[in-house]
Amino acid sequence: HQEYEMPASYGALDYVCLLEPVKRDKLLSEQELREIIALGREYKPERARVGNLSYSDHRKVIRRHMELNERTQQFHAQMYALVQEMNEKYFRFEITGMLPPDYMMYGPEFGHFGWHSDFVYQSPDVVRKLSLVIQLSDEKEYEGGELQVYLEKPKAQPKERGSVIAFPAFLQHQVTPVTRGVRQSLVIFSTGPMFR
Protein backbone atom coordinates (compact mmCIF):
# COMPACT_ATOMS: atom_id res chain seq x y z
CA HIS A 1 0.00 0.00 0.00
CA GLN A 2 1.67 3.23 -1.09
CA GLU A 3 1.60 6.30 1.11
CA TYR A 4 -0.45 9.36 0.27
CA GLU A 5 1.34 12.38 -1.10
CA MET A 6 1.01 15.19 1.41
CA PRO A 7 1.91 18.81 0.63
CA ALA A 8 5.31 19.48 2.19
CA SER A 9 4.00 22.47 4.13
CA TYR A 10 2.02 20.15 6.40
CA GLY A 11 5.07 18.33 7.76
CA ALA A 12 4.66 15.01 9.53
CA LEU A 13 1.18 15.47 10.99
CA ASP A 14 -0.90 12.32 11.34
CA TYR A 15 -4.06 14.08 10.20
CA VAL A 16 -4.76 17.22 8.21
CA CYS A 17 -8.16 18.62 7.26
CA LEU A 18 -7.38 19.78 3.75
CA LEU A 19 -9.38 22.20 1.65
CA GLU A 20 -7.30 21.52 -1.43
CA PRO A 21 -6.76 18.53 -3.73
CA VAL A 22 -4.85 15.46 -2.57
CA LYS A 23 -3.29 12.97 -4.97
CA ARG A 24 -2.63 9.30 -4.42
CA ASP A 25 -0.35 7.93 -7.10
CA LYS A 26 -0.77 4.65 -8.97
CA LEU A 27 -3.34 3.33 -6.57
CA LEU A 28 -4.73 0.79 -9.04
CA SER A 29 -2.91 -1.86 -11.05
CA GLU A 30 -2.93 -1.90 -14.85
CA GLN A 31 -5.29 -4.87 -14.73
CA GLU A 32 -7.71 -3.00 -12.45
CA LEU A 33 -7.63 0.05 -14.73
CA ARG A 34 -8.42 -2.13 -17.76
CA GLU A 35 -11.27 -3.77 -15.86
CA ILE A 36 -12.78 -0.39 -14.92
CA ILE A 37 -12.68 0.72 -18.56
CA ALA A 38 -14.23 -2.56 -19.77
CA LEU A 39 -16.93 -2.39 -17.11
CA GLY A 40 -17.67 1.26 -17.86
CA ARG A 41 -18.10 0.56 -21.57
CA GLU A 42 -20.87 -1.91 -20.81
CA TYR A 43 -23.10 1.05 -19.90
CA LYS A 44 -25.01 3.16 -22.39
CA PRO A 45 -23.18 6.36 -23.36
CA GLU A 46 -25.04 9.62 -22.96
CA ARG A 47 -24.35 13.29 -23.38
CA ALA A 48 -23.64 14.62 -19.89
CA ARG A 49 -25.76 17.51 -18.66
CA VAL A 50 -25.53 20.29 -16.13
CA GLY A 51 -28.43 19.61 -13.77
CA ASN A 52 -31.49 18.98 -15.93
CA LEU A 53 -30.23 21.17 -18.75
CA SER A 54 -27.68 20.73 -21.52
CA TYR A 55 -25.28 23.65 -22.02
CA SER A 56 -23.29 22.81 -25.15
CA ASP A 57 -20.80 25.61 -24.63
CA HIS A 58 -20.19 24.78 -21.00
CA ARG A 59 -20.04 20.98 -20.89
CA LYS A 60 -19.25 18.52 -23.66
CA VAL A 61 -18.48 15.03 -22.44
CA ILE A 62 -19.72 11.47 -22.94
CA ARG A 63 -20.82 9.89 -19.67
CA ARG A 64 -21.64 6.33 -18.69
CA HIS A 65 -23.45 6.18 -15.35
CA MET A 66 -22.36 2.95 -13.62
CA GLU A 67 -25.43 1.99 -11.61
CA LEU A 68 -25.17 -0.57 -8.85
CA ASN A 69 -26.10 -4.11 -9.87
CA GLU A 70 -24.84 -7.65 -9.26
CA ARG A 71 -22.05 -7.16 -11.81
CA THR A 72 -20.77 -3.95 -10.20
CA GLN A 73 -21.37 -4.72 -6.53
CA GLN A 74 -17.74 -5.55 -5.76
CA PHE A 75 -16.50 -2.59 -7.82
CA HIS A 76 -18.81 -0.20 -5.94
CA ALA A 77 -17.59 -1.58 -2.61
CA GLN A 78 -13.96 -1.11 -3.67
CA MET A 79 -14.58 2.49 -4.73
CA TYR A 80 -16.47 3.32 -1.53
CA ALA A 81 -13.61 1.91 0.54
CA LEU A 82 -11.28 4.23 -1.38
CA VAL A 83 -13.56 7.21 -0.68
CA GLN A 84 -13.64 6.40 3.02
CA GLU A 85 -9.88 5.94 3.23
CA MET A 86 -9.10 9.24 1.49
CA ASN A 87 -11.68 11.08 3.58
CA GLU A 88 -10.48 9.68 6.89
CA LYS A 89 -6.87 10.48 6.11
CA TYR A 90 -7.27 14.01 4.80
CA PHE A 91 -10.70 15.57 5.10
CA ARG A 92 -12.74 14.09 7.94
CA PHE A 93 -16.06 15.05 6.37
CA GLU A 94 -19.20 13.31 7.62
CA ILE A 95 -19.80 10.89 4.75
CA THR A 96 -22.65 8.41 4.67
CA GLY A 97 -22.77 7.20 1.07
CA MET A 98 -21.56 7.35 -2.52
CA LEU A 99 -23.32 8.02 -5.81
CA PRO A 100 -22.79 5.54 -8.67
CA PRO A 101 -19.47 6.33 -10.41
CA ASP A 102 -19.41 8.00 -13.82
CA TYR A 103 -17.08 6.74 -16.55
CA MET A 104 -16.22 9.85 -18.59
CA MET A 105 -14.79 10.26 -22.08
CA TYR A 106 -13.50 13.57 -23.42
CA GLY A 107 -12.41 14.00 -27.06
CA PRO A 108 -11.87 16.84 -29.57
CA GLU A 109 -15.59 16.96 -30.44
CA PHE A 110 -16.89 16.35 -26.92
CA GLY A 111 -14.04 17.33 -24.67
CA HIS A 112 -14.46 20.01 -22.02
CA PHE A 113 -16.33 21.06 -18.90
CA GLY A 114 -16.09 24.72 -17.85
CA TRP A 115 -15.68 26.04 -14.34
CA HIS A 116 -18.13 24.50 -11.86
CA SER A 117 -18.41 22.86 -8.46
CA ASP A 118 -19.78 19.39 -7.74
CA PHE A 119 -21.62 20.50 -4.63
CA VAL A 120 -25.29 19.61 -5.15
CA TYR A 121 -27.97 20.03 -2.52
CA GLN A 122 -30.54 17.23 -2.81
CA SER A 123 -31.84 17.25 0.75
CA PRO A 124 -30.47 18.17 4.20
CA ASP A 125 -29.14 14.60 4.46
CA VAL A 126 -27.77 14.18 0.94
CA VAL A 127 -25.23 16.64 -0.42
CA ARG A 128 -22.09 15.93 -2.43
CA LYS A 129 -19.13 16.39 -0.12
CA LEU A 130 -16.00 14.85 -1.64
CA SER A 131 -15.09 14.42 -5.32
CA LEU A 132 -12.65 11.78 -6.57
CA VAL A 133 -11.21 11.61 -10.08
CA ILE A 134 -9.30 8.53 -11.23
CA GLN A 135 -7.18 9.03 -14.35
CA LEU A 136 -7.76 6.07 -16.68
CA SER A 137 -5.84 7.29 -19.73
CA ASP A 138 -2.11 7.52 -20.26
CA GLU A 139 -1.27 11.21 -20.49
CA LYS A 140 0.52 10.53 -23.82
CA GLU A 141 -2.76 9.40 -25.38
CA TYR A 142 -4.29 12.88 -25.48
CA GLU A 143 -3.53 16.59 -25.42
CA GLY A 144 -5.37 19.21 -23.37
CA GLY A 145 -7.95 17.78 -20.99
CA GLU A 146 -6.33 19.21 -17.87
CA LEU A 147 -8.24 18.92 -14.62
CA GLN A 148 -7.72 22.32 -13.02
CA VAL A 149 -8.82 23.23 -9.51
CA TYR A 150 -9.15 26.89 -8.58
CA LEU A 151 -7.33 27.72 -5.37
CA GLU A 152 -5.71 31.16 -5.45
CA LYS A 153 -5.42 30.59 -9.18
CA PRO A 154 -6.12 27.64 -11.51
CA LYS A 155 -3.89 24.70 -10.61
CA ALA A 156 -3.47 21.76 -13.00
CA GLN A 157 -3.77 18.34 -11.38
CA PRO A 158 -1.64 15.26 -12.19
CA LYS A 159 -2.45 13.35 -15.36
CA GLU A 160 -0.60 10.09 -14.68
CA ARG A 161 -2.61 6.97 -15.47
CA GLY A 162 -3.97 5.45 -12.28
CA SER A 163 -3.58 8.54 -10.12
CA VAL A 164 -6.47 9.49 -7.83
CA ILE A 165 -7.26 13.14 -7.08
CA ALA A 166 -9.62 13.92 -4.20
CA PHE A 167 -10.96 17.36 -3.30
CA PRO A 168 -13.92 18.98 -1.51
CA ALA A 169 -16.94 19.05 -3.81
CA PHE A 170 -17.46 22.77 -3.29
CA LEU A 171 -14.14 23.73 -4.94
CA GLN A 172 -14.41 25.27 -8.39
CA HIS A 173 -12.72 23.18 -11.10
CA GLN A 174 -12.78 22.53 -14.83
CA VAL A 175 -11.55 20.17 -17.54
CA THR A 176 -9.87 22.11 -20.35
CA PRO A 177 -10.68 21.21 -23.99
CA VAL A 178 -9.16 18.01 -25.37
CA THR A 179 -7.45 18.78 -28.68
CA ARG A 180 -6.15 15.30 -29.59
CA GLY A 181 -6.97 11.76 -28.52
CA VAL A 182 -9.38 10.73 -25.77
CA ARG A 183 -9.19 11.41 -22.03
CA GLN A 184 -10.88 8.75 -19.90
CA SER A 185 -11.58 9.13 -16.21
CA LEU A 186 -13.76 7.79 -13.43
CA VAL A 187 -15.59 10.35 -11.30
CA ILE A 188 -16.97 9.51 -7.86
CA PHE A 189 -19.06 11.68 -5.55
CA SER A 190 -19.44 10.88 -1.86
CA THR A 191 -22.48 12.15 0.00
CA GLY A 192 -23.52 13.06 3.51
CA PRO A 193 -25.43 15.62 5.57
CA MET A 194 -25.05 19.35 4.96
CA PHE A 195 -21.72 20.89 5.97
CA ARG A 196 -21.79 22.51 9.42
Side-chain angles (χ1 to χ4, degrees), residues 102-120:
D102 286 324
Y103 169 55
M104 313 292 268
M105 295 182 67
Y106 294 80
E109 300 299 323
F110 50 90
H112 75 271
F113 192 176
W115 288 107
H116 65 285
S117 77
D118 295 327
F119 179 79
V120 174

Side-chain angles (χ1 to χ4, degrees), residues 61-116:
V61 58
I62 301 301
R63 178 185 85 146
R64 289 175 166 89
H65 194 55
M66 301 175 70
E67 292 287 357
L68 176 64
N69 55 39
E70 289 185 7
R71 176 108 164 82
T72 61
Q73 190 171 3
Q74 183 176 350
F75 165 69
H76 275 239
Q78 180 187 10
M79 293 300 102
Y80 190 49
L82 171 60
V83 166
Q84 291 175 309
E85 185 178 353
M86 296 286 274
N87 180 61
E88 179 67 20
K89 182 75 174 180
Y90 285 107
F91 301 98
R92 296 283 177 94
F93 294 156
E94 186 179 354
I95 286 175
T96 56
M98 179 188 84
L99 299 178
D102 286 324
Y103 169 55
M104 313 292 268
M105 295 182 67
Y106 294 80
E109 300 299 323
F110 50 90
H112 75 271
F113 192 176
W115 288 107
H116 65 285

Side-chain angles (χ1 to χ4, degrees), residues 94-97 123-129 190-195:
E94 186 179 354
I95 286 175
T96 56
S123 75
D125 297 319
V126 183
V127 297
R128 292 182 186 175
K129 304 191 83 166
S190 66
T191 60
M194 179 63 76
F195 288 103

Side-chain angles (χ1 to χ4, degrees), residues 20-21 113-116 146-158 171-177:
E20 63 181 77
F113 192 176
W115 288 107
H116 65 285
E146 278 192 345
L147 171 62
Q148 298 180 345
V149 179
Y150 198 92
L151 300 169
E152 294 181 353
K153 60 182 180 180
K155 182 178 179 181
Q157 300 302 305
L171 288 183
Q172 289 285 317
H173 57 284
Q174 70 169 350
V175 176
T176 63

Side-chain angles (χ1 to χ4, degrees), residues 36 50 72 131 153 165:
I36 290 173
V50 179
T72 61
S131 300
K153 60 182 180 180
I165 298 99

